[in-house]
Amino acid sequence: MKRTGNKIVMLLLAGCMLLATGCAGAQEETAQRADAQENVELTVLAAASLTDVCNEIKTMYEAEHESVTLNFSYGGSGALQTQIEEGAPADIFISAAQKQMDALNEEGLMESDSIQDLLENKVVLIVPQTSTAGIESFEDAATDKVGMIGLGEPGSVPAGQYAEEIFTSLGILDEVKAKANYGTDVRNVLSWVETGEVYCGVVYATDAISSDSITVVCEAPEGSCTPIIYPMGIVKASEQKEAAQEFMDYLKTDEISALFESYGFATVQ
């Protein structure tokens, strides 16, 4: 009887140890899940023209949301579209044109209900601050005043697409294309004008504001291109949709709208 009693006690002790181990494991797993929920990383693919303002927004948002890290990746909207199509990690896409957002949505790669217009911009013609070429209008791009013009690659850079619309409407696209140097994004074009590598360039008004090394010649003629709208939306493959929506809501607040406007954007309500 004594041996039987000892066996029962040993079995009970073993059972308690297994139970304790199981509880500890469950608690650790729960803690890990909670930690994963509390600390969120969001990857935002954004048009290059948003670089300056979004870097400031990142600092502000992370200061107010200590558990969230924003990882911005900037580039031409077409290049960013391709990244999403190829499965690159992304939670939010902010495009400089409807074309790229519409394409991704039609391919089923965006959360359709999340897509909304965020900003509006303008297209301007710029020259180096030291320019003496006498360039006064978009029409001058087809004249001997311009030896080379910087444009965004129209196949992937919305600013380049808008530029082609403008020059087409003016009837001088072929002449301009013959002297065009194409950049991978609008900041690429801006840098060429700043350093005098091209006689002039077509960029967004917001890019022009960011530089002290260029002069704005003029805005694009009214009606010469489609409205320049920046849509944003949640990428369907995102695993952080709730946090992504919260950040997008933040971009629509009065405080951030005022910040966008200080950088030359017009907000879309």
Side-chain angles (χ1 to χ4, degrees):
M1 293 291 292
K2 187 174 181 181
R3 288 181 180 177
T4 302
N6 287 341
K7 287 181 178 179
I8 292 173
V9 170
M10 291 175 68
L11 288 170
L12 288 172
L13 287 172
C16 288
M17 290 176 67
L18 287 171
L19 181 62
T21 302
C23 289
Q27 289 173 348
E28 184 178 352
E29 186 177 345
T30 300
Q32 288 174 347
R33 283 200 302 266
D35 186 59
Q37 290 173 352
E38 290 173 2
N39 296 290
V40 174
E41 285 196 22
L42 289 177
T43 298
V44 184
L45 304 187
S49 50
L50 292 165
T51 300
D52 296 329
V53 65
C54 280
N55 284 343
E56 187 167 346
I57 289 172
K58 170 182 166 66
T59 300
M60 294 170 61
Y61 194 76
E62 290 179 348
E64 296 176 24
H65 303 77
E66 296 181 358
S67 62
V68 179
T69 299
L70 296 173
N71 298 316
F72 280 92
S73 179
Y74 303 106
S77 297
L80 299 178
Q81 173 192 340
T82 299
Q83 289 180 33
I84 294 172
E85 290 171 335
E86 293 178 349
D91 298 291
I92 296 170
F93 177 43
I94 309 177
S95 175
Q98 298 283 4
K99 177 183 176 181
Q100 289 76 21
M101 184 67 76
D102 289 345
L104 288 173
N105 193 37
E106 289 169 6
E107 293 167 21
L109 297 176
M110 300 297 298
E111 290 291 348
S112 299
D113 293 343
S114 72
I115 298 173
Q116 55 188 304
D117 293 339
L118 176 63
L119 302 167
E120 186 171 2
N121 210 338
K122 295 182 183 297
V123 170
V124 296
L125 181 68
I126 61 172
V127 296
Q129 193 176 51
T130 56
S131 173
T132 57
I135 300 167
E136 299 177 346
S137 68
F138 276 81
E139 289 87 344
D140 282 344
T143 70
D144 292 339
K145 292 180 180 180
V146 174
M148 182 179 293
I149 181 172
L151 302 174
E153 169 56 53
S156 60
V157 182
Q161 297 161 19
Y162 295 126
E164 285 212 343
E165 287 184 35
I166 294 164
F167 291 124
T168 298
S169 75
L170 296 174
I172 56 174
L173 179 61
D174 289 341
E175 293 92 328
V176 173
K177 287 174 69 174
K179 58 180 76 176
N181 194 33
Y182 292 104
T184 56
D185 60 53
V186 72
R187 287 305 176 95
N188 197 188
V189 176
L190 177 65
S191 69
W192 289 340
V193 179
E194 288 176 324
T195 57
E197 294 177 63
V198 294
Y199 285 64
C200 60
V202 177
V203 300
Y204 297 118
T206 51
D207 297 298
I209 287 175
S210 72
S211 176
D212 294 327
S213 302
I214 60 91
T215 299
V216 175
V217 173
C218 61
E219 290 184 6
E222 187 174 353
S224 62
C225 67
T226 54
I228 302 165
I229 303 296
Y230 288 53
M232 64 177 175
I234 299 172
V235 179
K236 184 161 285 186
S238 170
E239 296 180 356
Q240 305 288 352
K241 291 184 174 66
E242 185 176 340
Q245 184 61 59
E246 186 175 347
F247 177 63
M248 284 173 46
D249 291 342
Y250 177 79
L251 295 180
K252 285 286 202 175
T253 61
D254 291 343
E255 178 184 14
I256 301 305
S257 292
L259 181 63
F260 277 128
E261 289 169 4
S262 73
Y263 277 85
F265 293 96
T267 53
V268 180
Q269 301 300 325

